[in-house]
């Protein structure tokens, strides 16, 4: 019976991920749909594995006896999740430690770590309290107005705690790389993250200046790993046109998360109810 639960969870997860297709719409609708399809399938599998582990390898459920095979499968999957989390956390810690070795510089009322490279880079590196890291090349290339727009964008990442939340989303990405549309959904979430930070910055600086800065930074290519890092050019050149168009268009409000938008995730906890039918 437990094995049937696992297979059902896998089937639903596969079906939901397969149903995703990129479409245009408001930032809010795209974000809610992409986040749901990215998170719900692994959450359903995760809750099913927890339910199976909680019920144990022996017993009876729905008139059917349970065996140890499903218990071992759930145990292996949970161990796989834990190992990947530890691995990513260690890599993130290495990125943070590497950034902390860079000297501090004053940028007006802000402080940043100075990366000794001619590449154009600015990003937040860390977990809940990330640090701003900026390259020598960026300081030497950008004008004061362009630099201000870049700093405003990075302040947006700090405001939304993007490094923290996308560390966990990156963990989910690693754990469910075998599910369909994992990479397209990940890229969509990265693009929406950058659009949100762009929108935050556009309320403080000239959007046209920010678009010009974006063109310069994205053309230089990535400098650091995406783990625990939220940088101006992290969504890649393939999303550049979309971001520039959004900056030049009338600003779209970014709504705060609403409680009702999370109601759908409660369905992922249904496997836990099966525990009461186990004996």
């Amino acid at each position: 019976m437990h094995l049937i639960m696992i297979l059902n969870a896998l089937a639903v997860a596969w079906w939901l991920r397969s149903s995703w297709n990129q479409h245009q719409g408001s930032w809010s609708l795209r974000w809610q749909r992409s986040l749901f399809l990215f998170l719900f399938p692994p959450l359903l599998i995760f809750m099913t594995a927890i339910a199976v582990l909680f019920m144990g390898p022996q017993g009876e459920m729905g008139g059917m006896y349970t065996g140890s095979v499903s218990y071992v499968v759930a145990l292996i999957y949970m161990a796989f999740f834990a190992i990947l989390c530890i691995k990513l956390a260690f890599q993130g810690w290495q990125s943070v430690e590497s950034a902390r070795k860079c000297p501090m510089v004053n940028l007006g009322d802000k402080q940043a770590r100075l990366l000794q490279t001619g590449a154009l880079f600015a990003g937040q590196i860390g977990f809940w309290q990330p640090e701003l890291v900026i390259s020598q090349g960026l300081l030497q290339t950008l004008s004061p107005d362009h630099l201000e727009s870049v700093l405003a964008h990075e302040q947006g990442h700090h405001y939304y705690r993007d490094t923290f939340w996308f560390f966990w989303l990156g963990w989910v990405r690693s754990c469910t790389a075998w599910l369909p549309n994992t990479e397209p959904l990940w890229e969509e979430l990265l693009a929406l993250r950058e659009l949100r930070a762009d929108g935050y910055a556009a309320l403080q600086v000239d959007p046209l200046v920010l678009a010009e800065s974006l063109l310069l930074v994205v053309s230089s290519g990535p400098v650091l790993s995406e783990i625990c890092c939220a940088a101006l050019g992290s969504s890649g050149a393939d999303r550049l046109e979309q971001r520039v168009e959004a900056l030049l268009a009338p600003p779209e409000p970014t709504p705060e998360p609403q409680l009702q938008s999370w109601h759908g995730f409660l369905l992922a906890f249904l496997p836990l109810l099966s525990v009461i039918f186990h004996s």
Side-chain angles (χ1 to χ4, degrees):
M1 188 64 181
H2 291 175
L3 193 57
I4 294 175
M5 286 177 56
I6 293 174
L7 293 176
N8 285 337
L10 292 174
V12 172
W14 193 277
W15 172 72
L16 282 174
R17 279 291 186 85
S18 300
S19 68
W20 182 80
N21 54 77
Q22 188 176 355
H23 68 287
Q24 299 301 315
S26 68
W27 183 95
S28 177
L29 290 176
R30 289 174 60 190
W31 176 262
Q32 289 180 19
R33 185 169 187 269
S34 298
L35 189 62
F36 178 81
L37 293 178
F38 188 81
L39 278 182
F40 184 88
L43 185 60
L44 178 64
I45 297 172
F46 187 77
M47 289 298 112
T48 302
I50 288 180
V52 171
L53 290 177
F54 189 82
M55 289 184 286
Q58 297 178 345
E60 184 178 345
M61 181 178 175
M64 300 176 63
Y65 287 99
T66 59
S68 60
V69 175
S70 55
Y71 182 84
V72 173
V73 170
L75 189 62
I76 291 174
Y77 194 73
M78 294 295 289
F80 175 69
F81 262 53
I83 291 171
L84 281 179
C85 184
I86 294 171
K87 177 186 175 183
L88 289 176
F90 179 70
Q91 292 175 344
W93 175 80
Q94 286 182 314
S95 297
V96 172
E97 288 300 303
S98 177
R100 286 176 178 170
K101 293 178 182 178
C102 298
M104 296 289 294
V105 294
N106 292 317
L107 302 172
D109 59 342
K110 298 180 178 66
Q111 285 190 321
R113 298 283 180 178
L114 183 62
L115 193 62
Q116 300 293 338
T117 176
L120 305 185
F121 175 81
Q124 297 284 343
I125 297 179
F127 291 91
W128 185 254
Q129 288 289 352
E131 288 190 285
L132 176 63
V133 177
I134 196 165
S135 70
Q136 184 71 43
L138 193 75
L139 293 179
Q140 294 173 346
T141 303
L142 297 190
S143 67
D145 287 343
H146 286 98
L147 182 60
E148 182 186 2
S149 69
V150 171
L151 296 180
H153 174 93
E154 294 308 324
Q155 183 60 34
H157 284 309
H158 187 278
Y159 176 79
Y160 291 111
R161 308 289 181 182
D162 284 336
T163 52
F164 176 80
W165 297 117
F166 272 80
F167 167 78
W168 295 108
L169 291 176
W171 174 51
V172 172
R173 171 201 182 194
S174 299
C175 295
T176 59
W178 48 275
L179 283 175
N181 290 319
T182 296
E183 284 305 309
L185 277 167
W186 171 253
E187 292 298 328
E188 175 75 353
L189 289 173
L190 281 180
L192 292 171
R193 178 189 76 175
E194 296 306 314
L195 286 171
R196 180 172 65 180
D198 288 342
Y200 179 94
L203 297 176
Q204 305 173 53
V205 298
D206 186 348
L208 181 58
V209 174
L210 178 58
E212 292 172 349
S213 303
L214 177 61
L215 289 170
L216 289 170
V217 175
V218 171
S219 62
S220 67
V223 175
L224 297 176
S225 168
E226 286 183 349
I227 301 174
C228 299
C229 175
L232 180 66
S234 61
S235 66
D238 56 333
R239 303 285 187 173
L240 180 59
E241 182 180 354
Q242 180 183 167
R243 292 176 62 186
V244 171
E245 288 178 352
L247 285 170
L248 300 181
E252 178 183 334
T254 302
E256 294 295 327
Q258 300 295 324
L259 182 61
Q260 57 267 26
S261 65
W262 295 94
H263 284 172
F265 288 97
L266 295 178
L267 296 175
F269 292 85
L270 286 178
L272 297 179
L273 296 178
S274 63
V275 175
I276 63 177
F277 299 105
H278 185 268
S279 59

